[in-house]
Coordinates of all heavy atoms in Angstrom, one line a residue:
T1 N 1.0 15.9 7.5 CA 1.9 14.8 7.2 C 1.7 13.7 8.2 O 1.1 13.9 9.2 CB 3.4 15.3 7.2 OG1 3.7 15.7 8.6 CG2 3.6 16.4 6.3
A2 N 2.3 12.5 7.9 CA 2.3 11.4 8.9 C 3.0 11.8 10.2 O 2.5 11.4 11.3 CB 3.0 10.2 8.2
E3 N 4.0 12.6 10.1 CA 4.7 13.1 11.3 C 3.9 14.0 12.1 O 3.9 13.9 13.3 CB 6.0 13.8 10.9 CG 7.1 12.9 10.2 CD 6.8 12.5 8.8 OE1 6.0 13.2 8.2 OE2 7.4 11.5 8.3
Q4 N 3.1 14.8 11.4 CA 2.2 15.7 12.2 C 1.1 14.9 12.9 O 0.6 15.3 14.0 CB 1.6 16.8 11.3 CG 2.7 17.9 10.9 CD 2.2 18.8 9.9 OE1 1.5 18.4 8.9 NE2 2.5 20.1 10.0
L5 N 0.6 13.9 12.2 CA -0.4 13.0 12.8 C 0.2 12.4 14.1 O -0.5 12.4 15.2 CB -0.8 12.0 11.9 CG -1.8 10.9 12.4 CD1 -3.0 11.5 13.0 CD2 -2.1 9.9 11.4
E6 N 1.4 11.9 14.0 CA 2.1 11.4 15.2 C 2.2 12.4 16.3 O 1.9 12.1 17.5 CB 3.4 10.8 14.8 CG 3.5 9.6 13.9 CD 3.0 8.4 14.6 OE1 2.9 8.4 15.9 OE2 2.6 7.4 13.9
T7 N 2.6 13.6 16.0 CA 2.7 14.7 17.0 C 1.3 15.0 17.6 O 1.2 15.1 18.8 CB 3.2 16.0 16.3 OG1 4.5 15.7 15.8 CG2 3.3 17.1 17.3
A8 N 0.3 15.1 16.8 CA -1.0 15.4 17.3 C -1.5 14.3 18.2 O -2.2 14.6 19.3 CB -2.0 15.5 16.1
L9 N -1.3 13.0 17.9 CA -1.8 11.9 18.8 C -1.1 11.9 20.1 O -1.7 11.4 21.1 CB -1.5 10.6 18.1 CG -2.4 10.3 16.9 CD1 -1.9 9.1 16.1 CD2 -3.8 10.0 17.4
K10 N 0.0 12.6 20.3 CA 0.7 12.7 21.6 C 0.0 13.8 22.4 O 0.2 13.9 23.6 CB 2.2 13.0 21.4 CG 2.9 11.9 20.8 CD 4.4 12.3 20.5 CE 5.2 11.2 19.8 NZ 6.5 11.6 19.5
I11 N -0.8 14.7 21.8 CA -1.4 15.8 22.5 C -2.9 15.4 22.8 O -3.4 15.7 23.9 CB -1.4 17.0 21.6 CG1 0.1 17.5 21.4 CG2 -2.2 18.2 22.2 CD1 0.3 18.6 20.4
T12 N -3.6 14.8 21.8 CA -5.0 14.5 22.0 C -5.5 13.4 21.0 O -4.8 13.2 20.0 CB -5.8 15.8 21.6 OG1 -7.2 15.6 22.0 CG2 -5.7 16.2 20.2
P13 N -6.5 12.7 21.3 CA -7.1 11.7 20.4 C -7.5 12.4 19.1 O -8.1 13.5 19.1 CB -8.3 11.1 21.1 CG -8.0 11.4 22.6 CD -7.3 12.7 22.6
I14 N -7.2 11.8 18.0 CA -7.6 12.3 16.7 C -8.6 11.3 16.1 O -8.4 10.1 16.0 CB -6.4 12.4 15.7 CG1 -5.4 13.5 16.3 CG2 -6.8 12.8 14.3 CD1 -5.9 14.9 16.4
A15 N -9.7 11.9 15.6 CA -10.8 11.0 15.1 C -10.8 10.7 13.6 O -11.3 9.7 13.2 CB -12.2 11.7 15.4
A16 N -10.1 11.6 12.8 CA -10.1 11.4 11.4 C -9.0 12.3 10.8 O -8.6 13.3 11.4 CB -11.4 11.7 10.8
V17 N -8.6 12.0 9.5 CA -7.7 12.8 8.8 C -8.2 13.0 7.4 O -8.6 12.1 6.7 CB -6.3 12.1 8.7 CG1 -5.4 13.0 7.8 CG2 -5.7 11.9 10.0
E18 N -8.3 14.3 7.0 CA -8.8 14.6 5.7 C -7.6 15.2 4.9 O -7.1 16.3 5.2 CB -9.9 15.7 5.8 CG -10.5 16.1 4.4 CD -11.7 17.0 4.6 OE1 -12.3 17.0 5.6 OE2 -11.9 17.8 3.6
N19 N -7.2 14.4 3.9 CA -6.0 14.8 3.1 C -6.2 14.6 1.6 O -7.1 13.8 1.2 CB -4.8 13.9 3.5 CG -3.9 14.6 4.5 OD1 -4.3 15.4 5.4 ND2 -2.6 14.4 4.4
V20 N -5.4 15.3 0.8 CA -5.5 15.1 -0.6 C -5.0 13.6 -0.9 O -4.1 13.1 -0.3 CB -4.6 16.1 -1.3 CG1 -3.1 15.9 -1.0 CG2 -4.8 16.0 -2.8
Y21 N -5.7 13.0 -1.9 CA -5.3 11.7 -2.3 C -5.8 11.5 -3.8 O -7.0 11.6 -4.1 CB -6.0 10.6 -1.5 CG -5.5 9.2 -1.8 CD1 -4.3 8.8 -1.1 CD2 -6.0 8.4 -2.7 CE1 -3.8 7.5 -1.4 CE2 -5.5 7.2 -3.0 CZ -4.4 6.7 -2.3 OH -3.9 5.5 -2.6
N22 N -4.8 11.3 -4.6 CA -5.1 11.2 -6.1 C -4.8 9.7 -6.5 O -3.6 9.3 -6.5 CB -4.2 12.1 -6.9 CG -4.7 13.6 -6.8 OD1 -5.9 13.8 -6.6 ND2 -3.7 14.5 -6.8
P23 N -5.8 9.0 -6.8 CA -5.5 7.6 -7.2 C -4.6 7.5 -8.3 O -4.7 8.2 -9.3 CB -6.9 7.1 -7.6 CG -7.9 8.0 -6.8 CD -7.2 9.3 -6.7
G24 N -3.6 6.6 -8.2 CA -2.7 6.4 -9.3 C -1.5 7.3 -9.2 O -0.5 7.1 -9.9
A25 N -1.5 8.4 -8.3 CA -0.4 9.3 -8.2 C 0.8 8.6 -7.5 O 1.9 9.0 -7.7 CB -0.8 10.6 -7.5
N26 N 0.5 7.7 -6.6 CA 1.6 7.0 -5.8 C 2.5 8.0 -5.1 O 3.7 7.8 -5.1 CB 2.3 6.1 -6.7 CG 1.5 4.9 -7.2 OD1 0.7 4.4 -6.5 ND2 1.7 4.5 -8.5
D27 N 1.9 9.0 -4.5 CA 2.7 10.0 -3.8 C 3.1 9.4 -2.5 O 2.3 9.1 -1.6 CB 1.9 11.3 -3.6 CG 2.8 12.4 -3.0 OD1 3.4 12.2 -2.0 OD2 2.8 13.5 -3.6

């Protein structure tokens, strides 16, 4: 989640995020 990304960035640099993304789903 976006919140977990924020948490991770407080611990270490993050180089990329691989997540599900469905065009048109507008999740």
Side-chain angles (χ1 to χ4, degrees):
T1 64
E3 291 75 19
Q4 286 171 322
L5 173 57
E6 292 289 344
T7 297
L9 287 167
K10 295 175 183 177
I11 297 172
T12 187
I14 297 298
V17 177
E18 182 175 336
N19 262 36
V20 64
Y21 189 86
N22 289 325
N26 293 323
D27 187 307

